Amino acid sequence: MLFAGKDISQWTGNGDKAQWKLADDYMEVNGTGTVRTRREFGDCQLHIEWQAPAEVKGDSQGRGNSGVFFFGRYEVQVLDSYENKTYADGQAAALYGQYPPMVNACRKPGEWQTYDIVFRAPRFAADGKLVSPACVTVIHNGIVVHAAQELLGPTAHRSAPSYQAHGPKGPIELQDHGNPVRYRNIWIRELDLSPAAAAPASEPAKAK
């Protein structure tokens, strides 16, 4: 468990300690900056629940904007996309700036929503060249919106992404974009999604 309510000690923020508001069983963005896990992760399955403000203020990217970042650089967008027009690869569950979700599965403002994300970290050779890109599957409120989608590179705003070599693990970050988005029930399961781990064992040849 990364967050089960009340205890935010597994997260860090500006000045080391995460300063987000804690109430009931959730933590809420409050303008004190992005928070990130103290631990680092590579391939993983992440479950996270979030809630956009029930009182709608603003439009497009100004409504319930936040994000879930893997390695602090690969973003699954959080946004109130319920009857909210915005650009396609910036809506809820988009792989921000790269791929829109296959369907808008967003619930009404004020309702809790779930992301179940399977993330495969990119692999780099010893010389820093990309061996295999990051790959993401996203299930939003029980609906598959990305199925093993390979990323073009780290999240970038209005610019072409490109990979730069980095370590095999990194923090999970939750973005402070200025909107009071709430998060709860966050858990993670570490996986090994390397090709060798995923490949089935070869069958012995049958005698003729």
Side-chain angles (χ1 to χ4, degrees):
M1 290 298 299
L2 295 178
F3 179 73
K6 303 298 184 183
D7 183 6
I8 201 173
S9 62
Q10 293 196 62
W11 298 80
T12 183
N14 294 332
D16 185 54
K17 185 178 179 181
Q19 301 291 333
W20 283 11
K21 174 184 175 181
L22 290 175
D24 298 326
D25 62 346
Y26 64 83
M27 57 180 172
E28 182 179 299
V29 178
N30 61 358
T32 58
T34 293
V35 299
R36 62 194 60 84
T37 56
R38 294 184 182 276
R39 291 176 58 197
E40 296 187 340
F41 305 93
D43 299 345
C44 62
Q45 174 189 355
L46 178 72
H47 174 88
I48 189 165
E49 299 174 14
W50 59 272
Q51 181 191 80
E55 183 181 353
V56 175
K57 294 182 179 180
D59 57 11
S60 186
Q61 295 292 297
R63 275 178 54 177
N65 194 326
S66 183
V68 180
F69 286 79
F70 294 83
F71 284 75
R73 66 186 76 198
Y74 307 104
E75 181 184 12
V76 178
Q77 172 77 318
V78 170
L79 191 80
D80 176 7
S81 290
Y82 186 83
E83 297 181 353
N84 179 24
K85 293 182 179 180
T86 191
Y87 47 92
D89 57 11
Q91 65 181 294
L95 304 180
Y96 187 86
Q98 298 185 32
Y99 298 103
M102 290 186 283
V103 66
N104 181 355
C106 209
R107 293 174 178 161
K108 294 179 180 180
E111 295 186 11
W112 283 101
Q113 316 210 39
T114 63
Y115 282 170
D116 288 285
I117 304 169
V118 176
F119 179 84
R120 186 189 72 199
R123 266 62 168 176
F124 299 93
D127 62 1
K129 291 183 179 179
L130 180 69
V131 174
S132 61
C135 183
V136 187
T137 293
V138 180
I139 301 172
H140 183 193
N141 294 329
I143 298 173
V144 175
V145 295
H146 296 285
Q149 178 64 63
E150 293 185 348
L151 295 178
L152 303 174
T155 297
H157 183 60
R158 294 184 177 180
S159 61
S162 61
Y163 281 98
Q164 300 294 326
H166 55 73
K169 294 187 176 183
I172 306 293
E173 291 187 357
L174 303 180
Q175 184 186 42
D176 182 342
H177 203 280
N179 299 140
V181 176
R182 297 173 178 178
Y183 291 96
R184 71 178 185 186
N185 193 23
I186 307 171
W187 57 261
I188 195 166
R189 183 166 67 110
E190 296 185 83
L191 303 172
D192 182 357
L193 300 177
S194 58
S202 58
E203 296 182 2
K206 294 181 180 179
K208 294 182 179 179

